[in-house]
Amino acid sequence: MTDFDQWIGRSREVQSCISPELEHQFRVTLDGHLWDGGGLPLGLHWCLAPEIDPADRLGADGHAARTGAHNSFMPPIPLPTRMWAGGSLRYLKPLELGKAITRRSEIRSISRKQGSSGELYLVEVKHDYSCEGQLHLEETQTLVYKAARKPGEGPDYAPGTGGVNSVTMFRYSAMTFNGHRIHYDADYARQEEHYPACVVHGPLQATLLLNHVAKQLGRMPTTFSYRGKAPLFTDEPWKIEEEKIEDGKGDLRFVGPQGRITTSAHYT
């Protein structure tokens, strides 16, 4: 493997705007699950300023290819699977509709580890969302690069009622411009990445957890951190379980069939 330390400290800035159309799309897609606090829905920031690469610069999985001079921000780690492993949020001010929002991203760390499935890399990226020179939201995102899945790995598929259906999966992929084929191409998910069905987005689960917390608190949380634990698949029933709540702090988790914990979270 190449030493990727030279990528640490790299940064870039992009601008975006929350339009009324985007807010409406987000609300109708997640209708019934959002906290109605009078402002913009929580989790909407994950739809802002997505990576948009030409088709000839995409890999077989629908993500941006990880090699080539055009992809200078993220390190070209030559492991076939890249996934969103978790992250944390710190809210300072609510984002505002219709105003230009600047997201500054910086690679904070790159670490090589040995996991149960082999070698992996963890890349931590810091995102700052600002409007008119004022910082509104701080986010730390953790990405994992690892070896391809093998046939038969992972949990059994247990579809039922009340799960995230394929229409919601398509809409969320479209709003976030997420081209990763495991979220909408069932044949690819089964044949190439050896999942039994399409995989529910990590930030979609985090959005549902985040809004559940706000409903419980009656306000936006100050901080919110989450971690992916296991995959959740299309049409699998899910629920949110709270482990403890005290002094404005709490732990909760997204739970799929047979008690499978797919995402855990902590908030203050």
Side-chain angles (χ1 to χ4, degrees):
M1 287 288 184
T2 305
D3 183 358
F4 298 110
D5 286 350
Q6 61 182 305
W7 266 265
I8 297 175
R10 293 196 180 195
S11 64
R12 66 179 176 185
E13 287 189 0
V14 293
Q15 279 199 334
S16 191
C17 177
I18 300 175
S19 67
E21 180 182 18
L22 177 60
E23 182 191 9
H24 177 66
Q25 291 172 349
F26 193 83
R27 287 190 182 278
V28 298
T29 298
L30 301 179
D31 183 42
H33 299 292
L34 300 176
W35 171 59
D36 186 12
L40 293 173
L42 300 180
L44 183 57
H45 74 280
W46 280 313
C47 300
L48 295 177
E51 294 183 16
I52 302 178
D53 292 281
D56 61 357
R57 294 182 179 179
L58 299 179
D61 60 0
H63 269 163
R66 290 185 283 281
T67 58
H70 66 276
N71 191 11
S72 59
F73 178 64
M74 295 299 295
I77 297 172
L79 290 173
T81 301
R82 185 181 77 180
M83 301 182 69
W84 195 321
S88 63
L89 305 171
R90 179 171 175 258
Y91 285 97
L92 302 171
K93 294 182 63 178
L95 295 173
E96 297 181 49
L97 183 68
K99 291 191 175 181
I101 297 168
T102 299
R103 186 184 69 205
R104 183 184 186 276
S105 303
E106 180 182 332
I107 297 178
R108 288 294 183 89
S109 66
I110 302 174
S111 56
R112 180 182 181 184
K113 298 183 180 293
Q114 194 70 24
S116 59
S117 59
E119 183 181 43
L120 57 86
Y121 276 80
L122 295 174
V123 179
E124 184 177 284
V125 185
K126 176 75 182 313
H127 304 290
D128 289 336
Y129 295 80
S130 301
C131 180
E132 297 179 345
Q134 291 189 323
L135 182 61
H136 284 236
L137 173 63
E138 293 180 332
E139 176 183 12
T140 299
Q141 177 191 26
T142 302
L143 299 167
V144 61
Y145 294 73
K146 59 183 183 178
R149 290 171 53 86
K150 299 177 182 178
E153 284 187 344
D156 294 331
Y157 181 40
T161 58
V164 181
N165 61 37
S166 58
V167 174
T168 299
M169 299 270 284
F170 166 79
R171 286 183 166 191
Y172 192 79
S173 288
M175 287 189 298
T176 57
F177 211 82
N178 185 343
H180 198 179
R181 293 169 66 183
I182 62 171
H183 300 307
Y184 61 87
D185 186 338
D187 288 340
Y188 173 86
R190 287 192 294 261
Q191 297 169 13
E192 301 298 329
E193 302 221 11
H194 307 298
Y195 289 111
C198 290
V199 181
V200 178
H201 313 70
L204 174 54
Q205 296 180 56
T207 295
L208 297 174
L209 287 169
L210 178 58
N211 280 274
H212 179 84
V213 167
K215 288 181 179 180
Q216 296 298 100
L217 294 176
R219 60 172 175 81
M220 294 169 54
T222 303
T223 65
F224 177 85
S225 60
Y226 61 97
R227 180 183 177 189
K229 308 284 284 186
L232 179 73
F233 304 112
T234 307
D235 293 324
E236 286 193 317
W238 58 269
K239 61 182 178 180
I240 293 175
E241 294 182 349
E242 297 174 0
E243 296 180 342
K244 63 180 181 180
I245 303 174
E246 56 184 21
D247 300 326
K249 301 178 181 179
D251 297 297
L252 65 162
R253 55 195 183 184
F254 211 90
V255 182
Q258 290 85 51
R260 184 199 319 148
I261 300 173
T262 60
T263 303
S264 61
H266 176 78
Y267 66 88
T268 61

